[in-house]
């Protein structure tokens, strides 16, 4: 049979068999694991002499009986009538398309060298590249899978490793793009075709490939394997039977075979702060600026633009593709304007030489959707309402079904759509990268389930917040603060959702339950903004809880005028609420407001009522704080004898309660008394413990009081350098976390110490140490505090 006639006959036979079964080219492509484009080329005669595995795939897809199968095979022209394929390329690294989409179409690679990279620098991946090269070159790990979410740069990393490692592989270094392959059984034949090897009829593809590779020290990069993980056993067998072969695969999901070594690739690091140095040293920002410069907009990090540049890459979660897609926007927009645009609609389209599936984040993620089962897609979409990470119970809550979510969640983790992240407790935590979450949210809205899912989210985190109130008052305070920190973004979105629904009672309960968390972890401004938005529909009890939160946050921020105004409303409201467990807290805080404002008679009456109600309601935590407020009242009144009788007992009660905030507060108040009495060793002991407790639990409120007091102590014991340093550290906390230590007695003492320290050092030396203290880390503060307490003779038990 002549080649031209034969090719025409095969095209005709294929078309006839397809049409007889009423299949479109697209339907046959789906059934056979090829592509509609490849099938069209075969039916037009543009693709001559299809390989046997292509013919087998077509026959399987058409469900041919023996007779029609034989007819299709017979229509394939003899390969003897065609010239032999060109020789395989030299050992220089090259990238070749796999034959899975159309093995016939791309079976023989061009002998010309094909570049392995896009010609752009690999930024921010020095450590990962070194790790991958070490694995590749060592030979001890011969099947390495680079996994990670779409757009994280798996291919770019693998190709850079291929380029650098190629000289060490005399048998060759090759890359095979498997993105178009859909059928796992076509992976091994696709590798053979990409290497220019003939397809041997009647032999298992793996048995046919092994003899060609068994004696070669070769590096093989298999790109885009996530849709082909069922081919993993065959790849493991290939590596096992070819002792010198090293395979690097890229995949959103691990292969799950014993021979595999998984190298997880995460997003680029985003800036830890907004200052110029932190932003300029961030790999994510470096990539953003590099790609912006390539688009014709050289951009440097300036003090004015640093916060916006940091926010841009944080918004994109450091995902390299998202950063690259956003970068050209800097050609037309300032960094703040680009940030605003990203918040509305996400990054745009990428360069034309990117594969179509990588030209937008949506295309990247739609590719992943094709690999999921319907129940996995449904869970993925619902996870969009969870902000900044979530625990398993939150996932179960938003799923809204009684079914076990673990199988679907496991599939999403395997496909790197959901990431496992560190958790503050034994319960596992997960998150979606922000560009992925935005994509999921668009799909959720399109599904019509966004409202119902958001309502389940709000209900779950309302319950989560109200349950946390008890834990914040007990010995589990520090752990609960960490858990609430992890869920901060979810609490915020739940609160806003409750406001949208005019559920004023629930919104007030949520904010009022977590006010202490907001105060201790530096979110006082946000907490006050929440509480100002409580609507008129809140009940008296809910408003009482919200007013307690307002007073507590105002006390932290030193806003005495607002405290007095709101305290009057709170006291009047407490008179109408017949729930001592609720009213005792608001009365205690109103009493403290009166203490801070110098209204001592009012304070005495309010704190007496508060203490009686707290004891009657069993609110032990409130009772201790009411007693502490009465001790503060004695100090403001100058009654040191009463304070001396009651403070040691109150400190013991706080220690017995086991709550770190309560104990640190009691230690600070007691240290004010010992400072007034001139007992430096006792003051050092009390403040040393308060600092240690505050740093361990990351409580900025109590640390903001302890550091100025400790600085004054340092000055009094002859260490003005440490004094200036500690004053600077305290000022940094006050500025960052809205902590304004305005208890009148301790404020007067610290102001006196500050003036004495500046006088002792002079302005220049004082400013130098102050600035050093402002930049200090927690461990540095702890170390400096230990120096001062030791010098002051601290060490006795409080």
């Amino acid at each position: 049979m002549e080649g031209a006639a034969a090719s025409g006959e095969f095209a005709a036979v294929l078309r006839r068999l397809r049409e007889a079964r009423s299949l479109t080219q697209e339907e046959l492509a789906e059934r056979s694991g090829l592509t509609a484009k490849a099938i069209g080329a075969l039916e037009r005669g543009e693709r001559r002499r299809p390989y046997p595995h292509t013919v087998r795939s077509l026959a399987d897809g058409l469900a041919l009986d023996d007779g029609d199968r034989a007819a299709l095979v017979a229509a394939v022209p003899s390969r003897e009538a065609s010239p032999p394929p060109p020789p395989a390329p030299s050992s220089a690294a090259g990238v070749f398309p796999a034959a899975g989409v159309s093995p016939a179409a791309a079976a023989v690679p061009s002998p010309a060298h094909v570049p392995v990279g896009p010609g752009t620098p690999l930024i921010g991946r020095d450590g990962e590249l070194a790790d991958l090269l070490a694995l590749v070159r060592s030979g001890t790990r011969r099947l390495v899978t680079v996994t990670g979410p779409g757009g994280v740069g798996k291919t770019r990393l693998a190709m850079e490793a291929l380029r650098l490692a190629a000289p060490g592989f005399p048998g060759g270094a090759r890359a095979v793009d498997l993105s178009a392959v859909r059928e796992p059984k076509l992976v091994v034949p696709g590798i053979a075709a990409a290497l220019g090897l003939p397809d041997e009829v009647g032999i298992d593809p793996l048995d046919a490939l092994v003899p060609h590779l068994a004696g070669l020290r070769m590096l093989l990069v298999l790109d885009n394997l996530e849709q082909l993980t069922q081919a993993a056993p065959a790849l493991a067998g290939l590596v096992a039977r070819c002792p010198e072969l090293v395979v690097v695969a890229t995949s959103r999901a691990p292969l799950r075979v014993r021979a595999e070594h998984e190298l997880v690739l995460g997003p680029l690091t985003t800036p830890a702060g907004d200052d110029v140095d932190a932003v300029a040293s961030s790999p994510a920002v470096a990539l953003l600026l590099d790609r912006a410069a390539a688009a014709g907009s050289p951009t440097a990090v300036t003090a004015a633009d640093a916060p916006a540049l940091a926010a841009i890459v944080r918004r994109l979660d450091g995902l390299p593709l998202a950063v690259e897609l956003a970068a050209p926007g800097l050609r037309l927009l300032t960094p703040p304007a680009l940030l605003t645009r990203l918040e509305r609609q996400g990054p745009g389209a990428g360069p034309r030489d990117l594969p179509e599936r990588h030209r937008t984040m949506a295309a990247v993620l739609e590719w992943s959707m094709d690999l999921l089962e319907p129940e996995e897609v449904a869970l993925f979409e619902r996870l969009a309402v969870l902000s900044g990470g979530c625990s398993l119970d939150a996932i179960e809550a938003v799923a809204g079904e009684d079914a076990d979510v673990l199988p679907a969640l496991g599939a999403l983790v395997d496909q790197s759509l959901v990431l496992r992240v560190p958790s503050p407790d034994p319960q596992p935590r997960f998150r979606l990268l922000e560009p992925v979450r935005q994509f999921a949210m668009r799909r959720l809205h399109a599904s019509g389930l966004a409202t119902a899912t958001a309502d389940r989210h709000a209900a779950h985190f309302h319950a989560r917040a109200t349950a946390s109130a008890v834990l914040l008052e007990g010995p589990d305070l520090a752990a609960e603060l960490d858990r609430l920190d992890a869920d901060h973004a979810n609490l915020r979105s739940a609160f806003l959702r409750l406001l949208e629904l005019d559920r004023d009672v629930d919104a007030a309960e949520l904010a009022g339950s977590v006010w202490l968390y907001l105060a201790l972890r530096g979110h006082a401004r946000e907490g006050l903004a929440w509480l100002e938005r409580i609507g008129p529909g809140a009940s008296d009890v809910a408003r009482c809880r919200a007013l307690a939160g307002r007073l507590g946050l105002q006390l932290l921020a030193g806003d005495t005028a607002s405290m007095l105004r709101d305290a009057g409303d709170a006291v009047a409201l407490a008179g109408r609420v017949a729930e001592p467990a609720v009213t005792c807290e608001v009365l205690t805080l109103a009493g403290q407001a009166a203490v801070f404002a110098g209204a001592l008679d009012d304070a005495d009456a309010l704190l007496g009522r508060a203490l009686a109600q707290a004891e009657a309601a069993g609110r032990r935590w409130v009772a201790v704080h009411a007693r502490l407020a009465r001790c503060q009242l004695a100090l403001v009144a100058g009654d040191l004898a009463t304070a001396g009788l009651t403070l040691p007992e109150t400190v013991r009660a706080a220690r017995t309660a086991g709550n770190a905030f309560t104990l640190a507060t009691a230690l600070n108040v007691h240290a004010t008394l010992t400072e007034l009495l001139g007992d430096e060793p006792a003051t050092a002991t009390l403040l040393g413990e308060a600092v240690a407790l505050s740093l361990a639990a990351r409580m900025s409120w109590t640390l903001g009081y302890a550091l100025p007091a400790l600085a004054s102590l340092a000055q009094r014991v002859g260490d003005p350098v440490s004094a200036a340093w500690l004053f600077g550290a305290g000022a940094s906390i006050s500025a960052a976390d809205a902590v304004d230590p305005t208890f009148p007695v301790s404020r007067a003492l610290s102001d006196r110490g500050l003036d004495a320290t500046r006088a002792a050092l002079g302005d220049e030396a004082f400013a130098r140490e102050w600035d050093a203290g402002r930049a200090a880390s927690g461990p540095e503060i702890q170390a400096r505090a230990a120096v001062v307490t030791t010098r002051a003779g601290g060490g006795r038990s409080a």
Side-chain angles (χ1 to χ4, degrees):
M1 198 178 288
E2 292 297 320
S7 64
E9 182 178 340
F10 180 82
V13 171
L14 176 60
R15 187 181 305 109
R16 174 177 58 79
L17 292 171
R18 177 179 60 78
E19 292 175 349
R21 286 154 180 79
S22 300
L23 295 175
T24 65
Q25 290 181 350
E26 289 76 12
E27 290 169 335
L28 177 56
E30 184 176 352
R31 294 184 178 199
S32 63
L34 307 179
T35 66
K37 182 178 178 180
I39 292 173
L42 288 167
E43 290 190 353
R44 291 189 300 271
E46 296 172 1
R47 294 291 183 261
R48 305 171 59 198
R49 290 175 291 278
Y51 276 73
H53 54 74
T54 302
V55 179
R56 286 195 296 270
S57 296
L58 289 167
D60 292 344
L62 291 164
L64 300 181
D65 58 23
D66 290 344
D68 285 339
R69 186 180 291 264
L72 185 65
V73 172
V76 178
S78 169
R79 289 184 176 273
E80 295 175 358
S82 61
S90 69
S91 62
V95 183
F96 304 108
V101 181
S102 174
V108 180
S110 164
H113 173 71
V114 182
V116 301
T120 58
L122 182 64
I123 294 174
R125 295 299 191 192
D126 291 349
E128 295 92 337
L129 180 61
D131 291 343
L132 182 54
L133 286 171
L135 291 167
V136 165
R137 289 166 173 164
S138 70
T140 57
R141 299 288 187 177
R142 295 192 299 108
L143 176 56
V144 180
T145 307
V146 181
T147 63
V152 81
K154 301 181 294 293
T155 298
R156 185 70 182 85
L157 179 69
M159 293 307 177
E160 185 69 5
L162 179 76
R163 183 182 70 82
L164 295 175
F169 290 86
R174 303 285 192 273
V176 182
D177 180 8
L178 295 165
S179 60
V181 181
R182 291 294 183 273
E183 190 62 42
K185 67 182 179 181
L186 297 179
V187 169
V188 173
I191 294 170
L195 295 176
L197 302 175
D199 189 0
E200 301 185 34
V201 180
I203 302 177
D204 178 81
L206 185 59
D207 292 337
L209 179 58
V210 166
H212 294 280
L213 303 181
L216 296 178
R217 176 161 172 75
M218 173 179 276
L219 173 60
L220 195 60
V221 170
L222 305 180
D223 196 25
N224 295 292
L225 264 178
E226 53 266 6
Q227 77 280 16
L228 300 164
T229 54
Q230 292 182 14
L235 295 176
L238 178 64
V239 170
R241 295 168 65 181
C242 301
E244 297 296 313
L245 176 67
V246 176
V247 173
V248 174
T250 71
S251 174
R252 300 181 191 185
L255 302 182
R256 303 291 189 211
V257 291
R258 288 175 296 173
E260 178 184 41
H261 180 92
E262 184 181 2
L263 182 66
V264 180
L265 192 62
L268 293 172
T269 302
T270 56
D274 290 344
D275 59 280
V276 172
D277 291 340
V279 174
S281 63
S282 161
V285 173
L287 178 62
L288 177 71
L289 297 183
D290 178 83
R291 303 319 301 145
S297 175
T299 305
V301 178
T302 66
D305 286 340
L309 291 171
I312 286 169
V313 295
R314 290 185 194 123
R315 176 77 183 176
L316 301 171
D317 252 327
L319 196 62
L321 179 60
V323 172
E324 291 200 44
L325 295 178
L330 290 174
R331 185 165 56 92
L332 300 175
L333 303 172
T334 63
L338 177 59
L339 175 61
T340 300
R341 185 174 180 84
L342 289 174
E343 289 171 346
R344 290 200 310 266
Q345 61 190 61
R352 294 186 179 92
D353 61 340
L354 282 174
E356 191 63 33
R357 68 182 187 282
H358 279 168
R359 290 206 62 215
T360 66
M361 281 306 304
V364 171
L365 295 164
E366 287 292 356
W367 165 272
S368 291
M369 295 300 98
D370 293 341
L371 307 178
L372 300 177
E373 297 297 328
E375 63 274 14
E376 295 161 1
V377 173
L379 180 61
F380 170 72
E381 292 169 352
R382 291 171 184 176
L383 294 182
V385 299
L386 293 160
S387 305
C390 56
S391 54
L392 184 59
D393 60 344
I395 293 174
E396 291 171 336
V398 302
E401 298 171 356
D402 294 332
D404 184 7
V405 301
L406 283 179
L409 180 62
L412 296 175
V413 172
D414 279 348
Q415 288 294 332
S416 300
L417 289 164
V418 174
L419 305 182
R420 179 86 180 265
V421 294
S423 175
D425 58 24
Q427 186 170 181
R429 273 189 87 78
F430 307 88
R431 73 181 290 251
L432 280 67
L433 296 175
E434 187 57 25
V436 178
R437 195 183 73 83
Q438 291 173 348
F439 171 80
M441 183 61 80
R442 288 192 291 271
R443 289 183 63 102
L444 183 64
H445 279 288
S447 74
L449 297 173
T451 298
T453 308
D455 289 350
R456 285 194 293 271
H457 174 275
H460 174 78
F461 282 99
H462 167 261
R464 170 78 182 84
T466 54
S468 73
V470 174
L471 298 174
L472 290 172
E473 297 179 4
D476 198 34
L477 167 74
E480 186 62 11
L481 290 173
D482 290 342
R483 288 190 286 265
L484 290 170
D485 248 349
D487 274 328
H488 186 167
N490 284 308
L491 292 167
R492 179 191 300 119
S493 59
F495 177 77
L496 295 175
R497 178 62 180 164
L498 293 171
L499 291 181
E500 288 175 4
L501 297 172
D502 292 326
R503 289 167 55 181
D504 296 337
V505 170
D506 290 341
E509 288 178 346
L510 187 154
S513 296
V514 299
W515 77 264
L516 184 60
Y517 153 69
L518 295 168
L520 293 179
R521 287 293 171 87
H523 307 297
R525 297 182 185 91
E526 181 179 5
L528 286 168
W530 287 11
L531 290 160
E532 286 171 1
R533 296 184 63 181
I534 301 299
S539 66
D540 283 350
V541 172
R543 287 179 59 214
C544 222
R545 291 194 175 104
L547 276 169
R550 283 176 64 87
L551 291 171
L553 293 171
Q554 289 163 352
L555 183 68
L556 163 74
D559 187 355
T560 305
S562 295
M563 282 173 63
L564 285 175
R565 181 197 66 222
D566 289 342
D569 294 339
V571 172
L573 183 62
R576 300 197 301 269
V577 173
E579 291 191 29
V582 175
T583 57
C584 65
E585 184 174 357
V586 76
L587 288 173
T588 297
L589 287 160
Q592 283 188 284
V595 170
F596 276 52
L600 304 189
D601 290 340
D602 291 342
D604 188 47
L606 287 169
L607 292 172
R609 288 173 59 191
L611 182 58
Q613 291 186 11
E615 291 177 338
R619 291 287 304 274
R620 182 181 182 187
W621 182 79
V622 177
V624 175
H625 280 274
R627 291 191 180 95
L628 278 171
R630 299 191 81 171
C631 294
Q632 289 178 308
L633 171 61
L635 291 172
V636 172
D639 186 356
L640 301 190
T642 297
L645 289 173
T646 56
L647 264 170
E649 178 186 346
T650 306
V651 170
R652 284 193 292 273
R655 196 178 298 281
T656 301
N659 182 270
F661 169 66
T662 303
L663 179 56
T665 302
L667 293 167
N668 280 336
V669 176
H670 197 185
T672 301
L673 172 63
T674 57
E675 184 175 356
L676 289 169
L677 295 174
D679 189 343
E680 311 295 19
T683 303
T685 299
L686 292 162
L687 291 176
E689 186 178 2
V691 168
L693 283 169
S694 300
L695 288 172
R698 294 190 291 126
M699 300 183 298
S700 57
W701 189 348
T702 49
L703 191 61
Y705 272 87
L707 289 180
L710 191 63
S712 293
L713 176 65
Q715 189 276 326
R716 290 196 305 276
V717 298
D719 188 358
V721 170
S722 290
W725 193 96
L726 288 166
F727 274 125
S732 177
I733 292 167
S734 296
D737 295 352
V739 177
D740 190 358
T742 54
F743 176 53
V745 181
S746 62
R747 183 62 172 261
L749 291 170
S750 65
D751 285 349
R752 187 187 309 162
L754 182 64
D755 292 341
T757 301
R758 184 180 282 110
L761 289 179
D763 288 344
E764 184 177 345
F766 177 86
R768 183 175 59 251
E769 295 303 325
W770 171 283
D771 290 341
R774 282 182 65 88
S777 65
E780 289 170 334
I781 292 173
Q782 183 67 70
R784 185 63 67 105
V787 169
V788 173
T789 54
T790 299
R791 180 166 185 155
R796 295 186 288 121
S797 298

